[in-house]
Structure formats: structure tokens, C-alpha cells
Amino acid sequence: MNVKVTQENLHNALTSVSRVASQRSALPILSNILLHTEDKSLFLTATNLEIAIRVRVAGKVEKDGRLAVPARLLNDFISSLPKGTLSLAKTKQFSLKVSMKNYESTINGFDPEEYPSIPAKAAGEMIKVESTKLKQALQQTTLAASTDEARQTLTGVYIHTANDHLYMVATDSYRLAEKKLAANKKSLSHNVPATTMQEVLRNLTDSSEEKVEITLSENQAVFDIGPAVIISRLIDGKYPDYKQIIPASSETTAEVDREEFIAVVRVASLFAKESAGSITLKVQEDAQEISVEAVASQVGENTSSTPATVHGDGEVSLNSRYLLDALQVMTSEKVVFSLSGRHNPCVLKPLEKPADYLHLIMPLKS
Amino acid sequence: MNVKVTQENLHNALTSVSRVASQRSALPILSNILLHTEDKSLFLTATNLEIAIRVRVAGKVEKDGRLAVPARLLNDFISSLPKGTLSLAKTKQFSLKVSMKNYESTINGFDPEEYPSIPAKAAGEMIKVESTKLKQALQQTTLAASTDEARQTLTGVYIHTANDHLYMVATDSYRLAEKKLAANKKSLSHNVPATTMQEVLRNLTDSSEEKVEITLSENQAVFDIGPAVIISRLIDGKYPDYKQIIPASSETTAEVDREEFIAVVRVASLFAKESAGSITLKVQEDAQEISVEAVASQVGENTSSTPATVHGDGEVSLNSRYLLDALQVMTSEKVVFSLSGRHNPCVLKPLEKPADYLHLIMPLKS
């Protein structure tokens, strides 16, 4: 191997792939990054066997080659170098020599044949989503996925088609987030691990010019994001019929400024630590306000309120963390908070019509 | 108690004092902040018995009072409130009622009589130091103080007078930092805990207009920093005669760009993890450069170099962390690195004359 690349390009590519290379895997080779050349380009690959990421690095390949190099040392080393052109060469048996003006290092690596093979991209349905739209959709849904491996189906973000539109959904059974994306007529029903989605998120930029290609086949999701390709397994099993728990209408609705709602809930949550974050919201038509109280507390008492456009009275107890999480991933200036008594799910939506996001939170008993 | 203050003023004061209020003290009352009024002002006080901090909060006292309130909850709560005027009132027995538009909270507190009394300011020698100069002096010295409680004398920053100037010094016996401050004829010799100095640092602003008043008496150091007063015990015992280990001259000197020196040392340190950070520096008159090598490593090899104006050849092994620490707290564009063979201390100084800072590092055996 003999390759010339800039420090900036290599550093950016390493930032993406080295997150996936685990230091704690039972298979020590997975703490390495595979460097290989193909079609006159340098590629970096890392995998944790659930997900693989491969990034093309712009540069000049003078001689082909292949080797595995410790991810952490390579990443720390390249990020410490000054800007400029680097020369990468394979020396000795499996060592990588990195040289640039004033710097010469050799990093001991491993036989690339020990590195697991990365599954090829399978044929499947391909959809294109604008990078910024996908970023928002993932930020607004992944938070609601379960982290409990015993409930594997709920640890995914469910991509599917309904009413000729693409939807992304996640739920841990205490809360549910549903994002409506662009019109789409392909029949899709794929459950992508939320951990994959978090890796996709980290690779998304804010440039709305770029489109991400998502290829969904029976067992695989592939995300083409500029120079990076992320390949992930899918989660087996039928996703629950979540639509049935979304209330068709509500007894009480309040239109409220999102930032102000966040402020009052955050203050109340400080007094709700003993009760695991439980707070009580009172929506009052007479006062045209939402008031928030921390449930009985040894440390003190708190009542905060914020003005709202209210129809109908109502009261409900919620986990303040879930409510804050939801309000913080929303982007609209105003939100609609709806409830139907103390025992039914609450719903948050942006005020704008048509609302493309819905966040449902189950009430707490109190 | 009945006091009106702005959220900003109270928040700033709480940020200073709540760091000192320990959550982990054997004395639970110390996790509280004492609020009291005096001379028509509100004061917040916290102590960990080693150091006490008292901050005056601008505001309007309508009724005097005194109570102790949990530091963490009060700080989290006030920092979550919007900007505006707050009303603080003592209610029930020892509770603090905080109210502002849309918010009303009561925080359960404690009897202020349980709070330990803060020592009064003793008479002593008073010196004034510009805030920015003191900040730099503390940043450049505290890092060299020992954290080993078994060597108590070395856990301080030693303030003393020599050659009609004020000096601050710290050493853990592996490295030593000495800062020369303004002309001063008072005879001073006081050892202030480095932990106190870190607290002083956190309260210093970048405004060079402000002067800090330091009052040093036999057992106490008092720092008056704008609205804050920090009162600390001193460390007993004679500070070592450190001057004798500073070499009067050196066989080898190298003038080098500080940022470039940091870069090559940082890269070498990545390869020196197995050898506890040990790196070897070679200063070469012929090549007019400093080259840095990580000592024999399983992970690979590294040689980096940086151009320097060199007089005399020399080689020495140092702990790369100590060298990085020193270079990072220095501020001059160029530094002078001096050594005298493999067994004598190395010295770093700013290139500017007269140099007001000296950092000495003991060599490693290799």
C-alpha cells in the first residue's frame, strides 16, 4: 500500500469509522480499522458485527494494499497531526508507516485476513431522503425507542409506508414518536436498530442539498451518505400495531409556547426527584393556562404556570423527563398538548398544519 | 427575611458558592448555603471547613433574616428560572419561598444556627494584584502542586517575597513552577492550599480593571474578589528551599515555537502510553532541531521533530504529560528549553526578557 491523503480528509473519515470500532469486543480484531484500496481509492472500514461503516477517503493511491490498524491509536495520532499531506505505506509485515514533514511513525497492525468480511449490499427498495429531513426525523424518533434488549422489537425505528407516505416510528411502550416523511408508494415495513440510526445521525450533515439513499432489503438496511456507507442488520418480528393507541380525539387541548412549556416543566422536575420525575399538569380553560406541580416532595413544593390557549379542563400526571425529551426534539414555536383525563395517553404535536410529528406519552398513576 | 433580587445576580452568586458546598461531607449541614442579610445586603455563604466563600448579592432587603438551604436544589432551581426579579422570603420555620411571575416554590431548609461559624478576617499584610495577572499566575503554578496529602507542604502554592518581588511557587518534587509578580517589599512567606487557589481561579474574571486584595495573616489567607470573599486556612510548616534545585546555567538551550513543540510532544505521547508517558528529546545543534521519540513501544514507533535555534547538543527523557502541562499554561509564542545532560533538571522559560516564569521538570531514568 502506498497512498497520499490530506490530514483533514483522513481525520474526518477516521472520526466516522472509529466510533464503530469497539474497544470492548470479545473479538479483539474489531478494535481495528481495515484500510484497503479499491478502484484507485482508499477505504476505511469498521464493524461491530451489527453494523458496518465504510468511508471513502479522497486521495491518491500509488500502490494497492490492505491491512488492519488499531482504531484508537490511529485516530488519536492522525487527529494530533498538523494539516498537510500524509503518506501512508505498508511496511514490515502488517505495519502502517505514516509520514509527513517533521513526523514519521510506524503503527503495528494486523493481518487483514483476520478482519471479518462485510456483507455486500443486497438488492432492495431504494428511497431518497433529504439529509436535513432525515436528521430531524431521526432526532425526533430514536429517543422513544426502548433500550431494553429483552424487548427487541421495540429497540428499533420502524420505517413503513401508510397512506402513500413514508413514516418513521419508535416506542418503548411508555411513549411513542411518529414522524411523517415524504410521499412514497413503495410498500415498506422494516425495523432498523435505533443504535444504527444513532450512527446514521452522527454522519448526517446540515446540508439540505445532500440526499441520503436508503436501501431496504429483507435482512439489511444500507445508508449511502456522501462518502460513507452504513450497512445494518434489521430487527426480526412484527412491529406492534401502534396506530390503535393513538387517540383519535381529545377532551382537552392547550396551545402553548414550546420554550415556556420547557421552562416550567424543567423547574417542576427539580422538585420531582423523589417521585422519579412524576409531575402533575393542570390544564385550565378559565385561567387559560397550564400549571405544573411536582408531586408531594420532602425537599419543598413548586407550582409553575404558563399561559396557553385552552379548550376544556383536564389534569394528568406524567414523567417529566419524557415530557422534556419530547418538547426538546420538537422545533415549532408553539405546540398542541392534548389529553383526555388522568388515564389516557397525552399527545404533543406541532401547532402548524399539517402536523408531521406526533409524540404520545402514557400517563402515570397518581 | 424578605429580599428582592434579579435571577441573574442570584444565579451568578450561587454558581460561586455552591461549588464549595459539598454533597459528600460528613457534616450534612455543609451541603447547604447560608443565606443572611447584613447592612441591607443579601449574603450567600458556603464552607467545607478548609475554605469559606461569601458572596454579596445586589438586591433590595425589605426584612432581615437568616436560614440554610440545600445548595444543589437551590442552584438548579434558580438557574432554571427565566430572567427577571425574584422575591425570597422565609416561611414556616426554616423554608425559603421563592416567587416570580408564573413560578412559586418553597424549598425546605434548616436552622441557620446549625451552620458552622465562618472565621472573621484577621489583620495581616495586604497585597493587591491585578485580576488577569493573578489568574495567569495561578494557572501557571497550581498545576505543579502535589495532590498527595501525605506531603502536605507540597500541596500548597507558596507566596513569598524575594529580591523585592512577589513570587508564587508550586512543586510536587517532580516539577516546579515559579511565577514572578509585581515589586513588593513586604516580607511574605505563606503557603496557601492549591485547592483554595483553584477556587480563587474560578472566581476571577478577565477584567484587568479589577484588583484582587489578598490579606495574609499567620493562619489565614483572605481573597477579596469583587463581591466575593474567600477565606482559607494556610498550610503549616517550612516550605522547602526550592531555589537550590533551579540550575544557574545549562549546557544546551533550544528556542522553539511553543505550539509546534506542543504538537510534536503530543504525537510522541500517544506512543508512550506503555512507558507511562516517557519520551526522549534530542536537541541537535547541527540540525537546529528538537526531535522527540517515544521510548520503545509495542504499538509502534514515532519520531517527530520541530525546528529550533539550538546551542549545544543534549538528550533527556521526560514525562510527556509534565512537558505538555507546562507548555500549555505558558503564553509566549516562543519558549526556551534548557537541559544539562540526562541527569539534571530541564527548564522551560518564555523567550521574552525579563522572563517572569520558570518551569522545571526532573528527568526520567531511561
Side-chain angles (χ1 to χ4, degrees):
Chain A
M1 177 185 289
N2 211 324
V3 181
K4 297 239 179 321
V5 289
T6 66
Q7 186 268 346
E8 297 94 312
N9 286 342
L10 186 57
H11 173 51
N12 288 341
L14 277 168
T15 306
S16 288
V17 297
S18 58
R19 277 191 304 258
V20 172
S22 169
Q23 302 301 315
R24 289 183 303 273
S25 172
L27 222 60
I29 191 74
L30 297 185
S31 68
N32 289 269
I33 287 169
L34 181 71
L35 286 82
H36 83 281
T37 55
E38 198 178 309
D39 300 333
K40 299 193 172 165
S41 282
L42 172 68
F43 289 89
L44 308 185
T45 304
T47 181
N48 58 17
L49 303 182
E50 294 256 308
I51 146 172
I53 178 164
R54 188 174 61 231
V55 180
R56 200 179 80 82
V57 189
K60 195 175 163 199
V61 176
E62 290 169 354
K63 191 178 165 198
D64 280 326
R66 204 177 157 83
L67 82 165
V69 180
R72 179 131 173 225
L73 177 60
L74 184 63
N75 189 31
D76 288 351
F77 172 55
I78 299 298
S79 65
S80 298
L81 290 178
K83 290 197 168 75
T85 302
L86 294 172
S87 161
L88 306 177
K90 188 171 159 182
T91 58
K92 288 189 268 173
Q93 202 164 4
F94 301 114
S95 289
L96 180 72
K97 183 170 160 185
V98 184
S99 16
M100 75 183 302
K101 187 171 177 291
N102 293 339
Y103 293 87
E104 192 171 294
S105 298
T106 304
I107 298 179
N108 298 336
F110 297 90
D111 185 350
E113 298 311 314
E114 286 179 32
Y115 205 84
S117 62
I118 305 301
K121 188 169 164 177
E125 293 286 3
M126 201 264 278
I127 47 176
K128 287 192 184 190
V129 187
E130 270 174 38
S131 181
T132 46
K133 290 233 167 112
L134 182 61
K135 189 171 179 176
Q136 195 191 45
L138 294 180
Q139 281 167 339
Q140 293 185 333
T141 52
T142 48
L143 78 157
S146 177
T147 52
D148 180 359
E149 284 302 323
R151 308 176 75 184
Q152 256 236 319
T153 314
L154 301 186
T155 62
V157 173
Y158 179 53
I159 303 180
H160 67 117
T161 323
N163 317 316
D164 291 339
H165 277 81
L166 188 68
Y167 284 84
M168 291 193 180
V169 177
T171 179
D172 59 6
S173 80
Y174 306 107
R175 50 181 168 174
L176 180 147
E178 184 198 55
K179 181 78 178 182
K180 185 180 183 180
L181 285 153
N184 191 296
K185 300 212 168 185
K186 292 169 188 162
S187 169
L188 298 171
S189 175
H190 297 81
N191 194 0
V192 183
T195 50
T196 297
M197 291 308 206
Q198 279 149 6
E199 212 43 59
V200 170
L201 251 181
R202 294 192 191 100
N203 280 280
L204 290 174
T205 64
D206 277 322
S207 145
S208 62
E209 302 285 318
E210 270 181 57
K211 291 210 170 186
V212 175
E213 283 184 18
I214 309 174
T215 309
L216 297 159
S217 54
E218 205 187 327
N219 302 308
Q220 196 191 58
V222 179
F223 298 83
D224 278 280
I225 312 166
V229 181
I230 294 172
I231 301 166
S232 169
R233 68 171 182 94
L234 293 176
I235 299 171
D236 288 337
K238 193 173 151 46
Y239 201 79
D241 177 17
Y242 72 89
K243 283 277 186 195
Q244 66 182 13
I245 68 159
I246 300 175
S249 64
S250 298
E251 291 168 12
T252 313
T253 62
E255 297 172 14
V256 56
D257 181 275
R258 190 174 58 88
E259 294 287 354
E260 285 178 15
F261 199 13
I262 288 176
V264 292
V265 173
R266 182 176 288 144
V267 167
S269 73
L270 297 174
F271 290 80
K273 284 183 181 163
E274 292 153 42
S275 58
S278 171
I279 55 170
T280 298
L281 291 98
K282 290 183 185 156
V283 179
Q284 290 161 308
E285 188 162 8
D286 276 1
Q288 289 288 306
E289 67 171 29
I290 303 179
S291 79
V292 184
E293 271 178 40
V295 175
S297 164
Q298 284 182 17
V299 296
E301 299 161 22
N302 170 259
T303 306
S304 322
S305 63
T306 185
T309 306
V310 174
H311 298 283
D313 290 327
E315 186 174 326
V316 68
S317 293
L318 295 179
N319 182 325
S320 54
R321 188 169 68 82
Y322 290 171
L323 186 53
L324 282 175
D325 279 355
L327 289 168
Q328 279 162 344
V329 295
M330 295 179 79
T331 53
S332 61
E333 194 193 334
K334 294 207 166 206
V335 298
V336 184
F337 176 67
S338 331
L339 63 151
S340 296
R342 302 184 65 84
H343 305 293
N344 294 303
C346 302
V347 173
L348 284 162
K349 285 185 188 180
L351 179 59
E352 294 114 45
K353 299 276 148 89
D356 64 354
Y357 182 63
L358 174 152
H359 199 108
L360 178 151
I361 303 174
M362 299 302 286
L364 294 171
K365 286 173 199 138
S366 66
Chain B
M1 176 186 290
N2 211 324
V3 181
K4 297 238 179 323
V5 289
T6 66
Q7 186 269 346
E8 297 94 312
N9 286 343
L10 187 56
H11 173 50
N12 288 341
L14 278 168
T15 305
S16 288
V17 297
S18 59
R19 278 193 303 261
V20 173
S22 169
Q23 302 303 314
R24 289 183 303 272
S25 172
L27 221 63
I29 191 76
L30 297 185
S31 68
N32 290 268
I33 287 169
L34 180 72
L35 285 83
H36 83 280
T37 55
E38 197 179 308
D39 299 335
K40 299 192 172 167
S41 283
L42 172 67
F43 289 89
L44 308 185
T45 303
T47 181
N48 59 17
L49 303 183
E50 294 257 307
I51 144 172
I53 179 165
R54 187 176 62 231
V55 179
R56 200 180 79 84
V57 188
K60 195 174 162 199
V61 176
E62 290 169 355
K63 191 178 164 197
D64 281 324
R66 203 178 158 84
L67 82 165
V69 180
R72 180 131 172 223
L73 177 61
L74 184 62
N75 190 31
D76 288 350
F77 172 56
I78 299 298
S79 65
S80 298
L81 290 178
K83 290 196 168 73
T85 301
L86 294 172
S87 161
L88 306 176
K90 188 170 161 181
T91 59
K92 289 189 267 173
Q93 202 163 1
F94 302 115
S95 289
L96 180 71
K97 183 172 163 185
V98 183
S99 16
M100 74 184 300
K101 187 171 176 292
N102 293 339
Y103 293 87
E104 192 171 293
S105 299
T106 304
I107 299 179
N108 297 338
F110 298 90
D111 184 349
E113 298 311 314
E114 286 179 32
Y115 205 84
S117 62
I118 306 301
K121 187 169 166 179
E125 293 286 3
M126 199 266 277
I127 48 177
K128 286 193 183 189
V129 187
E130 270 175 36
S131 181
T132 47
K133 290 233 166 110
L134 182 61
K135 188 170 180 177
Q136 194 192 45
L138 294 179
Q139 281 167 339
Q140 293 185 333
T141 53
T142 48
L143 78 156
S146 176
T147 53
D148 180 359
E149 284 302 324
R151 307 176 76 184
Q152 257 236 319
T153 314
L154 301 187
T155 61
V157 173
Y158 179 54
I159 303 180
H160 68 115
T161 324
N163 318 316
D164 290 341
H165 276 81
L166 188 67
Y167 284 84
M168 290 193 181
V169 177
T171 179
D172 59 8
S173 80
Y174 306 108
R175 51 181 167 172
L176 179 147
E178 185 200 56
K179 181 78 178 181
K180 185 179 182 181
L181 284 154
N184 191 294
K185 301 211 168 186
K186 290 169 190 162
S187 168
L188 299 171
S189 174
H190 297 81
N191 194 0
V192 183
T195 49
T196 297
M197 291 308 206
Q198 280 149 5
E199 212 43 58
V200 170
L201 253 181
R202 293 194 191 98
N203 280 279
L204 289 174
T205 64
D206 277 322
S207 145
S208 62
E209 302 286 318
E210 269 180 58
K211 290 210 171 187
V212 175
E213 282 184 17
I214 310 175
T215 308
L216 298 159
S217 54
E218 204 187 326
N219 302 309
Q220 195 193 58
V222 178
F223 298 82
D224 278 280
I225 312 167
V229 181
I230 294 173
I231 302 166
S232 168
R233 67 170 184 96
L234 293 176
I235 299 172
D236 287 338
K238 192 172 151 45
Y239 202 78
D241 177 17
Y242 73 90
K243 282 277 185 194
Q244 65 182 15
I245 69 158
I246 300 176
S249 63
S250 297
E251 292 167 11
T252 312
T253 61
E255 296 173 14
V256 56
D257 182 275
R258 191 174 58 88
E259 295 288 354
E260 286 178 14
F261 199 14
I262 289 175
V264 292
V265 173
R266 183 177 286 142
V267 167
S269 73
L270 297 173
F271 289 81
K273 283 183 182 163
E274 294 154 40
S275 57
S278 173
I279 56 169
T280 298
L281 292 99
K282 290 183 184 154
V283 179
Q284 289 162 310
E285 187 162 9
D286 277 0
Q288 289 288 307
E289 66 171 30
I290 303 178
S291 79
V292 184
E293 273 177 39
V295 174
S297 164
Q298 284 182 17
V299 296
E301 295 159 19
N302 170 260
T303 306
S304 322
S305 64
T306 185
T309 305
V310 174
H311 297 283
D313 290 326
E315 187 174 327
V316 68
S317 294
L318 296 179
N319 182 323
S320 55
R321 187 169 67 82
Y322 290 171
L323 186 52
L324 283 175
D325 280 355
L327 289 169
Q328 280 162 343
V329 294
M330 294 178 79
T331 53
S332 61
E333 193 193 334
K334 297 207 163 206
V335 298
V336 183
F337 176 67
S338 331
L339 63 151
S340 297
R342 302 184 66 84
H343 305 293
N344 293 303
C346 302
V347 174
L348 285 162
K349 285 184 189 181
L351 180 59
E352 295 115 45
K353 300 275 150 89
D356 64 355
Y357 183 62
L358 173 151
H359 199 108
L360 178 151
I361 303 174
M362 299 302 286
L364 294 171
K365 285 171 200 138
S366 67

